[in-house]
Amino acid sequence: MSITVTTFYQFTPLADPASHKASLLLRMQELAVKGTVTLAREGVNATVSGEAAALATFIDALKAELGMTLPMARESYTGAQPFKRSKVKVKKELISLGAEANPSVCVGAYVEPADWNTLITREGVVTIDTRNDYEYAMGHFKDALNPATANFKQMVRFTEKVLKPLNAKAVAMYCTGGIRCEKYSAYLMTQGFERVYHLRGGILAYLEHIPVAESLWEGTCFVFDERESVGHGLAVAP
């Protein structure tokens, strides 16, 4: 049996995220869709899995209920269900940076996977991994800067202590699926950085579309389910 794993997010205001929790959870359970959907006033973030038809039905229902288009979605496939339960969480923020950042208002420029290598090898561009130190150790882009963080909030200190003194002409950033970059790029723009770029769809999109022979990715990519990590073509890492 083939299981589809879909990761998606969208920063768009939700007036009352808690009001959607029960209905979305019931729909997940009816369709045997497992994984976690997180709702907050700033939008939605999720990694869910199930049979392809059931998953498509659930995502259509979610988009209709929340009034979203979900442009940032990524699919991969596995032979077994990677999640044990269906969960819908309501949080204050989808992901907390610990500083003012609103991707609905401003965000860095998206860079397609096909254009990423050209950007990060350009003179004067500083490439940053916005994930934590553990994830960086498993795999990263060649010559990318490791902020050496244990949690996302430490990116604020990294910005002050390391990034600002570099006086970079441009900053290119990446993360697993894109959500951390959306938040961090919005923060950098409030801090006066003008040339801020981030990889559309994150590492997962790059590994899906860029052939190994052309790749600047080294290692594997940590994912937040029982697969643990994936490689090029989003194949489960050995």
Side-chain angles (χ1 to χ4, degrees):
M1 179 176 65
S2 177
I3 296 294
T4 301
V5 181
T6 300
T7 301
F8 59 83
Y9 69 89
Q10 187 170 354
F11 283 101
T12 189
L14 288 179
D16 185 8
S19 67
H20 303 288
K21 179 176 179 177
S23 58
L24 289 178
L25 180 59
L26 179 60
R27 203 75 177 105
M28 290 179 75
Q29 292 169 338
E30 290 174 342
L31 293 164
V33 170
K34 300 185 184 298
T36 302
V37 175
T38 301
L39 304 174
R41 288 188 178 274
E42 63 183 356
V44 61
N45 181 35
T47 301
V48 290
S49 59
E51 294 187 5
L55 194 57
T57 299
F58 170 70
I59 292 174
D60 284 344
L62 180 143
K63 290 193 291 186
E65 176 157 339
L66 302 183
M68 296 181 172
T69 57
L70 301 181
M72 298 298 178
R74 184 63 43 203
E75 289 186 350
S76 58
Y77 306 92
T78 182
Q81 176 59 262
F83 298 109
K84 296 179 180 178
R85 294 189 296 162
S86 305
K87 295 185 286 186
V88 178
K89 298 180 179 179
V90 178
K91 299 172 63 175
K92 184 178 179 181
E93 297 178 85
L94 295 180
I95 182 166
S96 180
L97 182 61
E100 185 64 30
N102 188 347
S104 299
V105 175
C106 68
V107 72
Y110 297 106
V111 179
E112 299 297 334
D115 301 320
W116 183 247
N117 289 357
T118 299
L119 173 66
I120 66 174
T121 54
R122 187 183 303 163
E123 185 178 355
V125 175
V126 173
T127 304
I128 300 170
D129 192 317
T130 65
R131 304 170 304 153
N132 63 43
D133 195 46
Y134 174 78
E135 293 170 274
Y136 182 94
M138 290 185 69
H140 53 267
F141 282 104
K142 187 176 184 297
D143 298 327
L145 192 59
N146 179 14
T149 60
N151 61 70
F152 192 52
K153 289 183 178 181
Q154 292 176 351
M155 291 300 295
V156 174
R157 176 181 172 82
F158 164 78
T159 304
E160 294 298 322
K161 299 294 184 180
V162 179
L163 187 57
K164 286 184 177 180
L166 287 177
N167 294 317
K169 294 179 181 178
V171 176
M173 67 185 73
Y174 65 90
C175 57
T176 307
I179 189 169
R180 281 177 278 192
C181 292
E182 294 252 4
K183 201 71 176 279
Y184 186 54
S185 71
Y187 170 71
L188 287 190
M189 296 190 73
T190 70
Q191 298 299 300
F193 289 83
E194 296 179 355
R195 298 175 63 190
V196 180
Y197 305 91
H198 51 116
L199 177 59
R200 186 186 292 275
I203 302 162
L204 297 180
Y206 184 92
L207 293 179
E208 179 181 4
H209 294 292
I210 304 303
V212 175
E214 300 173 14
S215 179
L216 295 180
W217 179 258
E218 301 175 341
T220 62
C221 177
F222 174 82
V223 290
F224 300 87
D225 58 58
E226 292 184 0
R227 294 175 298 170
E228 296 187 356
S229 66
V230 296
H232 282 86
L234 301 184
V236 177

